Amino acid sequence: MSALGEVLVGLAIVVGLAGIVVPILPGTILIFAAIAVWAFVTGGSVAWTTFAVATLLLVASGVVKYTWPGRRMRDAGIPTRSLIVGGLVGIVGFFVIPVVGLFVGFVAGTYVAELIRIRSGAWQSTIHATKAAGLSILVELFGALVASGVWLAAVLFT
């Protein structure tokens, strides 16, 4: 692959990383696709091994992203219904308030759902849910950063 092609793949990976932090783009999918294109165009055992390792890292972080925070929310006694309400209000907030609407909507939706459910302690449940959502983002970002580092090492050292 040419240097320009590798720079374009790198830019796609950076956009994917930004998409994980600010969920406008499907970050993990974009990183996966960029590394897949690089492996296909570059060819060879190093490229395909790099792609396989990056894929395993992205899949593993995706699994952990949903299981670890979910367990923490169950342990805190937050029902799935409250999270669904928070997610739906977050999606609406994404379109109503640019950039921060997803976060504001998630917090507001979760709080209202918990307020209806338990009255007292709704704010503590909302804080637990928000921490779990933040943990989910951090886990996904960590996996994507390590996968991106594997790709970068392959590009620089081969």
Side-chain angles (χ1 to χ4, degrees), residues 96-158:
V96 174
I97 306 170
V99 183
V100 297
L102 182 65
F103 175 74
V104 171
F106 176 77
V107 171
T110 305
Y111 177 72
V112 169
E114 286 296 286
L115 190 62
I116 292 169
R117 184 177 76 88
I118 60 174
R119 298 255 183 237
S120 173
W123 186 243
Q124 288 81 11
S125 293
T126 304
I127 289 171
H128 281 294
T130 304
K131 285 180 182 178
L135 177 62
S136 175
I137 291 170
L138 288 176
V139 166
E140 183 180 13
L141 182 61
F142 178 75
L145 284 170
V146 175
S148 301
V150 168
W151 170 80
L152 184 60
V155 169
L156 293 176
F157 298 117
T158 57

Side-chain angles (χ1 to χ4, degrees), residues 16-103:
L17 290 170
I20 291 171
V21 177
V22 181
I24 295 172
L25 300 170
T28 302
I29 294 171
L30 188 56
I31 294 167
F32 170 80
I35 296 173
V37 167
W38 173 81
F40 181 76
V41 173
T42 302
S45 61
V46 172
W48 288 111
T49 301
T50 300
F51 174 68
V53 169
T55 300
L56 287 173
L57 288 165
L58 293 172
V59 169
S61 68
V63 169
V64 173
K65 168 189 173 180
Y66 289 108
T67 56
W68 187 17
R71 182 180 308 150
R72 290 187 64 172
M73 286 188 275
R74 273 193 308 277
D75 292 346
I78 302 167
T80 305
R81 181 181 59 90
S82 294
L83 300 175
I84 291 172
V85 170
L88 292 173
V89 175
I91 291 170
V92 171
F94 176 78
F95 293 104
V96 174
I97 306 170
V99 183
V100 297
L102 182 65
F103 175 74

